[in-house]
Amino acid sequence: MIGFNYFNYIWIAIAVVTFLILVSFNIKAPYGRHSNSKWGPMVSNKWGWFLMELPALVLMPAFSLSGPAPKNNLTFLLIGLWLIHYGFRTLIFPFKLKTTTKTMPVFIVICALVFNGVNGFLNGYYLGFLNQDNESILTLNVIIGIGVFFLGMFINRISDRKLISLRKNQDKYLIPNGGLFNYISCPNYFGEILEWLGFMLIAWNLPAVTFFIWTLSNLIPRSLNHHKWYLDNFENYPKNRKAVIPFVW
Ligand code: NDP
């Protein structure tokens, strides 16, 4: 258990360093609108997404279910929520993208494979091999967490859907409007952050905290990059919009 906790702390430290480097040096993860062939060989966007997300989809349930730790309702709830998220993100989301010719660097796919692999492993290994709690799922943190998780999922899905539908068989970017887009540039990221905040509240264990910190470290710098990109590329971009947290940031 001590070794496992140290692994988590190191992984958190890497997340914080990643965040500081991305923000301080204004580095843009080179996929989507920031895609860049200077990062080496490229791969199809759709298959890149599928491959990147696959380790998380498989590893968390596999480790959770194969270990000797007692399985309780909370374990099954967490596995179920994970599968709902990663089943969609791996098997459906990539094939809904309208960008048929777009590519991303293999380097990004490898980084994301490691990221998703480690997060899937940590969350699954804890539930399958280390968890000794036999908590009821009728606790306040679980009930609030479920609400936050599904609210986040709803915001994430409708925002991604709106962004994807802006593309009508062309590669142009348009200004998204309506709903939370009137307040922030990246409601899809805001929803994703809420999802993993909810998951952390439900699980209330170290790997879920670690994953939430990683989600912030990835998505806050990326939303700041997107926000600046909109302001630089559209003269009429609404100036009162924030990047990712309504009214705040
Ligand atoms: P983006 O918002 O960059 O793009 C989402 C899709 O919408 C892409 O197909 C993009 O096309 C298209 N799009 C975006 N903005 C516009 C626009 N203004 N006009 C037309 N089309 C647009 O999201 P990501 O690709 O970065 O992320 C996708 C999902 O993955 C999100 O739900 C995000 O929350 C999640 N994610 C989670 C992470 C985590 O750490 N948990 C990390 C990264 C992503 P194009 O690709 O051509 O730009």
Side-chain angles (χ1 to χ4, degrees), residues 7-247:
F7 188 3
N8 270 276
Y9 299 141
I10 291 168
W11 194 231
I12 290 175
I14 296 173
V16 174
V17 171
T18 303
F19 174 82
L20 292 174
I21 291 176
L22 291 176
V23 171
S24 312
F25 297 101
N26 190 25
I27 296 173
K28 301 167 186 72
Y31 70 91
R33 77 195 61 188
H34 310 294
S35 189
N36 192 326
S37 59
K38 279 189 278 182
W39 292 73
M42 308 288 278
V43 64
S44 136
N45 214 29
K46 285 180 197 289
W47 288 104
W49 270 105
F50 171 76
L51 287 172
M52 293 193 297
E53 305 296 318
L54 194 58
L57 176 67
V58 174
L59 290 180
M60 189 279 198
F63 277 102
S64 299
L65 294 172
S66 61
K71 310 292 177 280
N72 54 38
N73 287 340
L74 191 57
T75 310
F76 292 118
L77 174 65
L78 291 167
I79 296 173
L81 296 177
W82 190 277
L83 284 175
I84 293 173
H85 177 89
Y86 278 105
F88 177 82
R89 183 54 52 72
T90 313
L91 304 174
I92 299 175
F93 174 79
F95 305 102
K96 282 180 167 275
L97 299 176
K98 294 220 173 107
T99 44
T100 46
T101 55
K102 205 142 195 171
T103 55
M104 64 166 76
V106 172
F107 171 75
I108 278 290
V109 177
I110 293 171
C111 290
L113 267 169
V114 173
F115 166 72
N116 283 316
V118 173
N119 291 320
F121 161 74
L122 288 176
N123 280 279
Y125 190 84
Y126 181 87
L127 292 177
F129 290 80
L130 302 174
N131 184 30
Q132 294 303 327
D133 293 342
N134 196 11
E135 265 195 51
S136 152
I137 54 170
L138 293 175
T139 56
L140 195 58
N141 63 306
V142 173
I143 292 164
I144 294 175
I146 292 174
V148 174
F149 181 90
F150 280 111
L151 175 66
M153 178 173 281
F154 175 71
I155 293 173
N156 175 264
R157 294 253 180 114
I158 56 165
S159 309
D160 270 342
R161 193 185 314 150
K162 170 129 204 173
L163 289 172
I164 291 169
S165 72
L166 286 179
R167 280 277 163 70
K168 296 226 164 41
N169 303 320
Q170 32 87 7
D171 272 356
K172 253 172 67 184
Y173 289 92
L174 302 172
I175 299 180
N177 285 305
L180 274 175
F181 282 104
N182 292 340
Y183 301 92
I184 46 178
S185 295
C186 304
N188 53 341
Y189 297 161
F190 176 61
E192 180 102 20
I193 288 169
L194 286 183
E195 268 186 67
W196 298 112
L197 171 66
F199 188 87
M200 180 187 81
L201 290 173
I202 301 165
W204 209 242
N205 61 36
L206 184 56
V209 175
T210 309
F211 187 35
F212 178 60
I213 293 173
W214 257 109
T215 301
L216 293 175
S217 302
N218 274 333
L219 294 184
I220 289 180
R222 190 161 172 82
S223 63
L224 296 175
N225 289 331
H226 274 23
H227 186 61
K228 181 169 183 315
W229 182 93
Y230 277 121
L231 289 168
D232 290 346
N233 284 277
F234 293 99
E235 265 179 28
N236 56 338
Y237 195 69
K239 301 286 178 281
N240 58 338
R241 272 187 206 180
K242 300 288 182 189
V244 66
I245 311 284
F247 308 110

